Amino acid sequence: MHTVTETLSNAHTDDTLPFHHIGQMNKDDTIERIRGEVGFRLLNTGKTSGNATPSRKPIAPDVLFSQLMSTNNISTGTSSRAEQQLTRTQRFLRLLDPRRSIKSRLAVAMFCVSILFLLTSACIVGFTVINNLRESSGLSLMQFAMTTARTIDETIYARYRDMRIISTLPFVRDPSTDSATLQLVLDETKATYELYSWIGITTNDGTVKAATDGVLANVNVSARPWFKACANAPFANPPRFVGDVHGAVLLQRVLNLTEPLRLLDVALPLFAMNETQIGVLGSHINASVTRKVERDVLGTFREGTMELFIIGTDGLVQAPVGSTENSTAWISQSPDSALMLARAGHTGWRVERWPSGVQYLTGFSQCSGIEGINMNWSILVRQSTATAFAAPNRLVLILGLAHLGFAIILVGASYTVAHITTAPLLAISRAADNIRKRSAMPQIPVVHGNDEIARLSYSLNSLVSTLVEKEINLKGINQDLADKVEALERAEASLRASEDKFRQVTDTTQDAFFILEILPPGEYSSLLSPPPNDDAGVLPEKWVHMSAAFVKLFGISAMELEDDPTTWLQVVAPEDQQAVAKAFAQRQKSPIDITFRVTPGPLADNQRLRYIALRSLLVKPKARDHTPKRVIGVFQDISLQKQAEIESQHKSSWVRQVGHEIRNPLAATFTMINLLLEMDLSAEQLDLLQTIRTSNDNLLSLINSILDLAKLEAGEMHLETIPFNLATQIEDVLDLMAPQAHKKGLRVGGYVDPTINPLVKGDPLRLRQIIINLFTNAVKFTQKGSVFLRVERDAEYTGSPTTDGQGQVALRFLLTDTGIGISKENQGKLFKEFAQAEASTSRHYGGTGLGLSIVRQLVNMMNGDVGIISEIGKGSTFYFTAVFLADMTGFDDGPPMISPLRIDNKRILIVSAWDRTYEVVHAAVEAIGGIPVDTMHLPTAIQLVEQGGLAAVILDVDLEQKENDEALCKISEKMPVVIVVSREKMETIRHRLIPEKVIAVTDPIKTKRLQDELSHILLQLGPAPVGHATARRSKAQRTIPDVQLLHPNGQQWKSKIMLVEDNLINQKAVAKLLSRITGEVPLVAHDGQMCLDMLAECYQKGTLVDIIFMDVCMPVMDGLTATRAIMELYPDKVRPIVITMTANALHEDYVQCMQAGADGYLLKPASRDILEKTIEQWESVVRQRRSSRASSVKSVTSLHLEDIPNNH
């Protein structure tokens, strides 16, 4: 290697840097000149001047530098100190060399990052802290300014409120009040608030009528601004005057003061009680109020470094206290200064330099006033920035020194961490060299520790082991792959077998199955249809499966379908083609369910018209993409089903026609028999007529059962959902069935669980039909004993609210009798059509077996079930459940429900031989606070009565027996008695009734009626009023309607009734019945056209027809057409009520009548009771219409023969 001297002599051709001068330089020049002029210049020496020989290969600068630093011959004259300094520099330069070890680079990087982080942290933290602290200081001053403004507003408003209170005092508003009284009030007000300088009341001309301490009394102040502002003020909108600070020369002169007064004015007009102005109420407040505000706001800071300035609208400074400067000339007034911003209504803080040259932190605000009382003063609070920002500046200095200390610590820590970090890397590097030199892959030496380097060592060892394991496992993977290929081939074979089975199944059925595969975009081969345009939204598809039945259904070959997939639409009936094509076009968007007709093609077995049902489903993947993958569908031949439906419709039509033809003659017979029974007849004639009527009723009942069964089988039976009272319905059924039971000597009764709310929604008519059928059956098969109906909650019901949120209630009805009973083997036959328990039953008791079958189907429609518990010779219990809506809405019609009066703690004795009476009466007595006492024997009852402590006795015994009658006489002498007696025996005990002493209630017992009678007789309120449920009289007493309707002129209302009937026999019978009810002969029309003509004639004569009973099936014009014409021709006020009368009993007949506009619907034959009910209900509607009052009745529930008991 060349020496340094040789290198220098060969590299330089000039004498700019002689080598012997190096020793004479200082250490810095030496290093810089050696690196710059020698080492790096040698790298660029590629040419020499003249004929110099080419230079040698340049030496790398690091080699040169290291040689230069390591030589001992650089200078012969260097001292030992220079040598030591050069050694330290050499070490430092080696440390900075970027090509050194990782340790060096890591140390330098950690040091630089640490210093950068500390500097950044110091700047961010410092700036953030100082900005936050400065902002906090500014906000504090702003808060002081806002508090000062708010305090001034509250203080001035309080003084205005004082004046307002004084002005509302009655004696102040009285012009006659003397000055002394007024002065007394003003003096007290001034004494209350020390800053009042003067308060006075003037007259309208400005003369002071009264003032505090008598100052300025009788002096005219009309020239003062506060008086001018409030003089001649309107009472509706009086002015409120608040004046700014000003000098009070007049008051100063009167008080003989040498110092000028500065006051605030608060004034308002004074009005008398008659709202006329009688003067002005004014006051002067000492401007030193600002001193009080300053003391209140600044508090302990008053002697501190903050200063408060209150500047008025006139530019005068009202504070600080003792300020010698009143003007604002010494305050900064630049456009963006604190003063100008405060005057503009702004609130905030800013740093600004005041005219004095000192920089201040200034908070500013302005008085905003309260309810229009506003001084508009500007508030400034200042503090020198040196004082305000002293703490932030000190904090920044402390943070800077702390970060500097951290930087010094990090310098040493960086090198230490770098050394510790790189030591394991060196060990791993040596291990890697050993691995490279070996032919096998030995284990890499493990570096112990928990850091990343230790994990690297462990990972390298794991990598070597894994490579070995992978090579071993690769053979196993290859074997697994071969097994999977084999399994896939077996799965494909199984799939092909499944497809073959599917095809065999679909080809052997009568239904035509098909599968449409929806293709991805771009696959258009073998399409079912050409690619649609983008607007259609239908993806391309192909026909992948079609069962053999397709050809049989449509008569089209598979080849025709592949050529044109819409070919099958050509055999669809023309009237159905458009709808079917439209539905099939949506096959990729939604499932299809449509029925249509087709005429098959020539390939079908026959070309008869067929009914086809098309149903399809979409198959979508489980992925997020909901695009359908295929369409699966089936064409079903439903011709037989359709034929059955058509036959069912024909059957329903036939049943309707037969029912109509049978009911018409029976209706006339029914009506004529009832008319005859109302005449005076001999006993033999009466017996014969009753026999005829019984047979007639039995025939009608059989016809009704057959029609109901036909309606149920045809699906024509529909349940209504209307509000009704359950307890009232049960009591009505008991009233209907009681005469039949009493005739056989049976007791009947009913009990509704008092915890059940009786107001529900459902179909009361069908519920009554169910109960009547069961009751009739029970009475028929019971020779002695009783029949009892119990209603309770169904504890097993677990239903939920309906879709519209209405709650549901499930009830259980149990009808118990003491009849012959039914064996278990025969119980399964009961609820089947035309079936009875035994063949002998029909011969002995009669009947067709339809009633219980109808009950079962009606109960199923009510979401319930029906059953029986019975034993031979021990009676039977028929039970059924039904679900109703527990909704209170819709119960506003009819009289309100009034709770019975209470008889708290009164003991009521119950005497009855029938245990069911105890159950009913117990609940009724306890519900009104009474205490029931039971006994079955009259002697015991008489003893209890004689012992005392009883309030009344309820007697349920046979009074035809002498001992019972005598017991009644004894008991009635000591206390009130309530007798339970049947309607049939009411006349026999009427002579025993004593008003308010001995009263009677009918059997079956009505809970509400019994409670009313008890409460009125015990509380001595007179006879109980007849309620809505007990207002009915027996049929023999019903000769005229109960309701006596009156015309608006006060005369009794007599309804004008018209009968429209084409059958002469029915016409004659119903007309006579109507004349018996109303006392007048009705108008009679033979058809709908004649009805319209007669109505027009009556209308021209000024006579209005009130109610029309309209037959439906008539020649010339039917009843429905006539009803529609009436609805169109006559307004509501003069339009008659139209009640359709028809023998058609299906639900659709009822719907047709209502849609035509009919008000009511009656089923032939209509009894006298039904006609009376109908006339009573609709007469009130007519009256309201004629008197221009709206009616709440829209339609009357249809009434049927089932509502009338067979009690004859």
Side-chain angles (χ1 to χ4, degrees):
M1 183 177 290
H2 296 283
T3 63
V4 177
T5 303
E6 294 174 346
T7 303
L8 289 176
S9 60
N10 294 330
H12 290 272
T13 56
D14 54 31
D15 298 329
T16 55
L17 184 61
F19 181 69
H20 61 274
H21 289 165
I22 294 178
Q24 301 176 3
M25 298 181 182
N26 57 38
K27 58 184 179 182
D28 294 334
D29 291 338
T30 301
I31 295 174
E32 293 299 327
R33 294 295 298 275
I34 289 174
R35 288 183 64 88
E37 298 295 335
V38 180
F40 292 105
R41 188 170 180 178
L42 292 175
L43 292 174
N44 296 324
T45 304
K47 296 181 181 180
T48 57
S49 59
N51 296 323
T53 59
S55 61
R56 299 181 181 180
K57 182 177 179 181
I59 302 175
D62 56 339
V63 176
L64 177 62
F65 187 66
S66 60
Q67 292 177 355
L68 185 61
M69 292 295 106
S70 60
T71 182
N72 293 326
N73 300 322
I74 294 179
S75 174
T76 57
T78 56
S79 62
S80 61
R81 183 177 180 182
E83 292 176 355
Q84 293 176 358
Q85 183 66 34
L86 188 59
T87 302
R88 288 194 297 270
T89 303
Q90 178 183 9
R91 292 174 182 173
F92 178 74
L93 291 176
R94 286 180 178 179
L95 180 63
L96 294 180
D97 189 357
R99 290 168 296 178
R100 298 288 295 174
S101 64
I102 295 177
K103 178 171 66 176
S104 302
R105 284 181 283 175
L106 185 61
V108 172
M110 291 180 60
F111 173 73
C112 294
V113 170
S114 300
I115 295 299
L116 181 61
F117 170 75
L118 289 175
L119 291 176
T120 304
S121 174
C123 294
I124 293 175
V125 173
F127 285 126
T128 302
V129 170
I130 192 170
N131 287 337
N132 289 342
L133 291 177
R134 288 184 177 184
E135 183 176 3
S136 176
S137 301
L139 291 176
S140 298
L141 296 185
M142 181 186 71
Q143 187 64 37
F144 277 118
M146 293 172 63
T147 304
T148 302
R150 185 169 59 253
T151 304
I152 292 173
D153 289 337
E154 293 173 352
T155 303
I156 299 303
Y157 180 74
R159 305 289 72 76
Y160 163 75
R161 188 175 55 196
D162 295 344
M163 298 299 100
R164 186 63 180 171
I165 293 172
I166 294 173
S167 68
T168 59
L169 296 176
F171 62 88
V172 174
R173 299 179 66 180
D174 187 358
S176 62
T177 303
D178 59 282
S179 301
T181 302
L182 296 176
Q183 181 179 342
L184 180 61
V185 175
L186 300 180
D187 289 341
E188 290 179 357
T189 303
K190 180 183 177 183
T192 303
Y193 188 66
E194 61 182 2
L195 292 179
Y196 276 119
S197 295
W198 178 83
I199 308 174
I201 298 176
T202 72
T203 59
N204 284 334
D205 60 356
T207 302
V208 178
K209 180 179 180 180
T212 53
D213 302 326
V215 177
L216 298 181
N218 300 322
V219 176
N220 190 287
V221 293
S222 59
R224 304 305 301 160
W226 58 271
F227 179 82
K228 292 179 180 181
C230 296
N232 301 322
F235 178 79
N237 188 18
R240 297 175 291 185
F241 179 81
V242 178
D244 206 342
V245 176
H246 63 86
V249 179
L250 179 59
L251 188 60
Q252 179 182 352
R253 185 168 59 250
V254 172
L255 296 177
N256 294 323
L257 299 177
T258 57
E259 295 184 0
L261 283 175
R262 292 179 60 79
L263 305 174
L264 295 170
D265 296 334
V266 177
L268 68 162
L270 192 61
F271 295 93
M273 300 301 290
N274 59 1
E275 301 182 0
T276 59
Q277 185 172 1
I278 59 174
V280 177
L281 175 62
S283 64
H284 296 319
I285 303 174
N286 198 314
S288 61
V289 66
T290 57
R291 301 178 183 176
K292 181 178 181 303
V293 172
E294 184 181 23
R295 290 195 302 271
D296 293 342
V297 174
L298 292 183
T300 57
F301 294 98
R302 179 65 189 91
E303 302 300 331
T305 59
M306 285 190 291
E307 299 175 274
L308 173 66
F309 300 95
I310 303 175
I311 298 98
T313 57
D314 54 0
L316 298 179
V317 179
Q318 309 300 332
V321 178
S323 174
T324 58
E325 295 283 349
N326 284 333
S327 68
T328 58
W330 54 280
I331 301 177
S332 176
Q333 300 190 33
S334 61
D336 59 345
S337 64
L339 178 59
M340 294 297 102
L341 292 175
R343 286 179 176 176
H346 299 290
T347 298
W349 62 273
R350 59 181 284 104
V351 177
E352 63 181 3
R353 190 174 300 279
W354 285 48
S356 62
V358 180
Q359 193 174 35
Y360 289 96
L361 178 64
T362 307
F364 56 89
S365 184
Q366 188 184 38
C367 296
S368 58
I370 300 176
E371 295 184 5
I373 308 302
N374 190 4
M375 297 301 298
N376 291 321
W377 284 351
S378 301
I379 314 299
L380 301 182
V381 180
R382 75 176 186 179
Q383 188 179 31
S384 66
T385 56
T387 303
F389 299 154
N393 293 336
R394 286 195 299 270
L395 182 59
V396 170
L397 178 60
I398 293 173
L399 288 174
L401 294 176
H403 281 77
L404 180 61
F406 280 120
I408 295 174
I409 294 173
L410 287 174
V411 170
S414 299
Y415 186 81
T416 303
V417 170
H419 176 73
I420 296 173
T421 303
T422 56
L425 290 176
L426 295 176
I428 293 175
S429 177
R430 288 192 295 269
D433 289 339
N434 293 334
I435 293 174
R436 178 177 56 84
K437 295 176 182 179
R438 296 177 183 178
S439 57
M441 287 194 295
Q443 183 179 7
I444 296 178
V446 178
V447 178
H448 297 284
N450 296 321
D451 55 5
E452 291 80 356
I453 299 175
R455 289 197 295 272
L456 175 62
S457 173
Y458 176 79
S459 299
L460 291 175
N461 276 303
S462 299
L463 176 61
V464 173
S465 300
T466 303
L467 290 175
V468 176
E469 293 175 0
K470 292 293 183 181
E471 185 177 1
I472 297 173
N473 294 335
L474 185 58
K475 296 180 180 179
I477 294 174
N478 291 335
Q479 184 62 41
D480 292 340
L481 182 59
D483 294 340
K484 290 181 179 180
V485 170
E486 184 180 356
L488 182 59
E489 292 175 350
R490 288 196 301 269
E492 289 179 351
S494 176
L495 180 60
R496 285 192 295 270
S498 299
E499 290 179 353
D500 293 338
K501 291 180 181 179
F502 173 74
R503 290 182 180 275
Q504 292 174 4
V505 171
T506 57
D507 289 343
T508 55
T509 62
Q510 299 297 325
D511 300 332
F513 291 88
F514 66 90
I515 300 176
L516 296 176
E517 188 77 19
I518 300 175
L519 302 176
E523 297 184 16
Y524 299 137
S525 60
S526 302
L527 295 182
L528 175 64
S529 57
N533 53 39
D534 295 337
D535 295 336
V538 179
L539 298 175
E541 54 192 8
K542 67 177 180 180
W543 195 290
V544 297
H545 176 71
M546 175 184 62
S547 62
F550 202 98
V551 178
K552 298 179 181 179
L553 289 182
F554 293 95
I556 301 173
S557 65
M559 186 177 298
E560 290 178 305
L561 284 174
E562 291 180 0
D563 295 339
D564 184 3
T566 60
T567 303
W568 64 272
L569 289 173
Q570 298 176 5
V571 299
V572 176
E575 53 270 26
D576 296 340
Q577 279 187 358
Q578 184 176 359
V580 175
K582 183 178 180 180
F584 192 70
Q586 303 296 319
R587 58 190 177 278
Q588 293 186 10
K589 299 180 180 179
S590 60
I592 303 174
D593 189 352
I594 189 172
T595 301
F596 54 91
R597 293 163 293 177
V598 299
T599 302
L603 297 181
D605 297 337
N606 58 74
Q607 282 73 43
R608 292 196 302 268
L609 183 68
R610 298 181 181 180
Y611 287 88
I612 304 297
L614 169 60
R615 295 177 179 84
S616 70
L617 295 174
L618 296 177
V619 179
K620 297 181 179 180
K622 296 182 179 180
R624 294 183 178 179
D625 184 13
H626 296 292
T627 303
K629 187 177 181 180
R630 62 179 61 89
V631 179
I632 300 176
V634 59
F635 291 95
Q636 293 179 305
D637 187 354
I638 59 172
S639 300
L640 296 178
Q641 178 182 343
K642 276 293 180 180
Q643 185 65 28
E645 292 178 0
I646 294 173
E647 291 176 357
S648 177
Q649 293 175 359
H650 291 165
K651 177 182 176 183
S652 299
S653 177
W654 180 83
V655 169
R656 185 188 300 110
Q657 184 66 26
V658 171
H660 180 272
E661 296 301 326
I662 295 176
R663 282 179 180 274
N664 267 328
L666 285 178
T669 306
F670 179 83
T671 305
M672 290 299 187
I673 292 173
N674 288 332
L675 289 174
L676 286 174
L677 287 173
E678 294 180 3
M679 297 180 180
D680 293 331
L681 304 172
S682 64
E684 183 179 2
Q685 291 172 334
L686 183 61
D687 180 64
L688 291 174
L689 281 176
Q690 288 178 344
T691 302
I692 294 173
R693 186 169 68 173
T694 301
S695 300
N696 192 75
D697 292 344
N698 291 336
L699 181 58
L700 278 175
S701 177
L702 175 61
I703 293 173
N704 289 333
S705 297
I706 294 175
L707 290 177
D708 284 341
L709 184 62
K711 287 188 285 186
L712 288 168
E713 290 181 350
E716 298 288 343
M717 183 76 75
H718 300 280
L719 297 182
E720 295 180 317
T721 303
I722 60 175
F724 68 94
N725 190 310
L726 178 65
T728 302
Q729 294 293 328
I730 298 300
E731 291 175 353
D732 288 348
V733 172
L734 293 177
D735 279 346
L736 292 173
M737 302 307 302
Q740 297 182 38
H742 292 162
K743 188 175 181 180
K744 297 181 65 173
L746 304 178
R747 292 295 302 270
V748 294
Y751 173 78
V752 179
D753 188 347
T755 62
I756 299 175
N757 189 338
L759 303 181
V760 295
K761 280 186 177 180
D763 193 331
L765 182 62
R766 296 306 169 190
L767 177 62
R768 286 163 61 96
Q769 184 177 355
I770 294 171
I771 299 176
I772 289 174
N773 281 354
L774 293 177
F775 229 114
T776 303
N777 196 66
V779 172
K780 181 191 300 185
F781 293 98
T782 302
Q783 301 302 323
K784 62 178 181 179
S786 62
V787 180
F788 190 78
L789 175 64
R790 172 187 291 274
V791 183
E792 58 188 25
R793 292 183 182 275
D794 185 6
E796 299 178 359
Y797 179 70
T798 59
S800 59
T802 59
T803 55
D804 55 359
Q806 295 183 344
Q808 294 180 329
V809 57
L811 303 180
R812 189 176 184 88
F813 299 78
L814 299 100
L815 187 68
T816 304
D817 63 59
T818 57
I820 60 176
I822 304 174
S823 62
K824 291 186 177 181
E825 55 270 17
N826 290 326
Q827 291 177 11
K829 306 176 184 179
L830 289 179
F831 299 99
K832 297 180 180 180
E833 294 86 350
F834 306 104
Q836 291 187 328
E838 295 179 0
S840 60
T841 302
S842 178
R843 294 191 299 268
H844 189 274
Y845 295 98
T848 61
L850 293 179
L852 294 181
S853 172
I854 295 173
V855 166
R856 175 181 59 80
Q857 297 189 56
L858 289 177
V859 168
N860 291 338
M861 294 176 67
M862 294 183 179
N863 299 322
D865 58 357
V866 64
I868 182 175
I869 302 173
S870 181
E871 188 175 348
I872 294 293
K874 295 184 179 180
S876 304
T877 297
F878 284 86
Y879 64 88
F880 71 93
T881 58
V883 180
F884 303 94
L885 296 181
D887 186 10
M888 297 298 103
T889 59
F891 290 96
D892 52 349
D893 296 339
M897 297 183 62
I898 303 175
S899 300
L901 300 175
R902 296 186 62 81
I903 55 171
D904 293 335
N905 300 322
K906 293 185 182 296
R907 302 176 73 240
I908 309 298
L909 177 62
I910 306 170
V911 184
S912 177
W914 190 34
D915 55 351
R916 300 292 188 179
T917 300
Y918 298 133
E919 185 176 5
V920 176
V921 178
H922 256 265
V925 172
E926 291 176 346
I928 56 176
I931 302 174
V933 181
D934 302 337
T935 183
M936 298 180 63
H937 306 288
L938 274 175
T940 306
I942 295 174
Q943 293 178 2
L944 293 174
V945 170
E946 292 177 351
Q947 292 175 3
L950 299 175
V953 176
I954 299 176
L955 203 57
D956 181 18
V957 296
D958 185 6
L959 296 179
E960 293 180 353
Q961 299 180 12
K962 184 177 179 180
E963 60 273 16
N964 295 344
D965 189 57
E966 293 174 353
L968 170 63
C969 296
K970 292 180 182 179
I971 296 174
S972 62
E973 293 175 356
K974 297 181 179 296
M975 63 185 59
V977 179
V978 179
I979 304 173
V980 179
V981 63
S982 64
R983 288 184 182 274
E984 294 81 6
K985 296 182 179 181
M986 182 67 73
E987 293 297 330
T988 62
I989 58 95
R990 193 174 297 278
H991 65 284
R992 292 296 186 187
L993 303 182
I994 303 174
E996 303 182 14
K997 190 69 175 177
V998 179
I999 60 175
V1001 295
T1002 58
D1003 182 33
I1005 298 173
K1006 295 180 175 62
T1007 300
K1008 179 68 167 55
R1009 185 62 181 171
L1010 177 61
Q1011 292 173 340
D1012 289 340
E1013 295 289 0
L1014 271 179
S1015 59
H1016 279 74
I1017 197 173
L1018 293 179
L1019 301 178
Q1020 298 180 354
L1021 300 178
V1026 179
H1028 178 70
T1030 59
R1032 302 187 185 91
R1033 290 176 291 173
S1034 65
K1035 189 185 307 181
Q1037 296 173 305
R1038 299 291 289 274
T1039 58
I1040 60 173
D1042 288 343
V1043 183
Q1044 301 296 326
L1045 303 178
L1046 300 179
H1047 280 290
N1049 58 13
Q1051 299 178 357
Q1052 181 176 346
W1053 189 290
K1054 292 185 178 180
S1055 298
K1056 194 70 173 179
I1057 296 177
M1058 177 184 290
L1059 173 63
V1060 185
E1061 172 65 59
D1062 64 321
N1063 188 292
L1064 296 179
I1065 299 177
N1066 285 338
Q1067 187 182 101
K1068 180 179 179 180
V1070 177
K1072 285 184 176 293
L1073 190 58
L1074 290 175
S1075 63
R1076 292 283 185 90
I1077 295 173
T1078 62
E1080 290 188 357
V1081 178
L1083 300 175
V1084 178
H1086 299 287
D1087 54 60
Q1089 185 60 52
M1090 187 176 178
C1091 170
L1092 296 178
D1093 296 339
M1094 294 178 67
L1095 279 178
E1097 183 179 354
C1098 292
Y1099 186 73
Q1100 291 176 358
K1101 295 179 180 180
T1103 303
L1104 299 179
V1105 177
D1106 299 319
I1107 301 175
I1108 298 177
F1109 289 95
M1110 179 79 71
D1111 189 18
V1112 175
C1113 299
M1114 295 182 294
V1116 183
M1117 180 184 290
D1118 63 85
L1120 298 182
T1121 304
T1123 302
R1124 296 187 188 97
I1126 293 172
M1127 299 300 148
E1128 295 176 359
L1129 294 175
Y1130 297 96
D1132 287 344
K1133 188 172 182 179
V1134 299
R1135 179 177 67 81
I1137 298 297
V1138 179
I1139 309 296
T1140 56
M1141 296 180 64
T1142 178
N1144 296 332
L1146 296 183
H1147 180 75
E1148 64 182 32
D1149 301 313
Y1150 168 77
V1151 173
Q1152 289 175 359
C1153 293
M1154 295 297 104
Q1155 290 177 348
D1159 299 285
Y1161 172 85
L1162 291 180
L1163 184 63
K1164 292 180 181 180
S1167 66
R1168 176 171 181 159
D1169 278 359
I1170 291 178
L1171 291 176
E1172 285 181 358
K1173 289 180 183 180
T1174 305
I1175 293 173
E1176 286 180 12
Q1177 287 174 322
W1178 287 110
E1179 274 185 331
S1180 60
V1181 179
V1182 173
R1183 179 179 57 181
Q1184 293 174 1
R1185 286 184 179 177
R1186 300 291 189 262
S1187 59
S1188 300
R1189 294 200 304 268
S1191 172
S1192 61
V1193 180
K1194 298 187 181 298
S1195 66
V1196 175
T1197 304
S1198 59
L1199 301 173
H1200 298 271
L1201 185 64
E1202 295 92 310
D1203 293 334
I1204 306 301
N1206 296 325
N1207 56 359
H1208 34 265

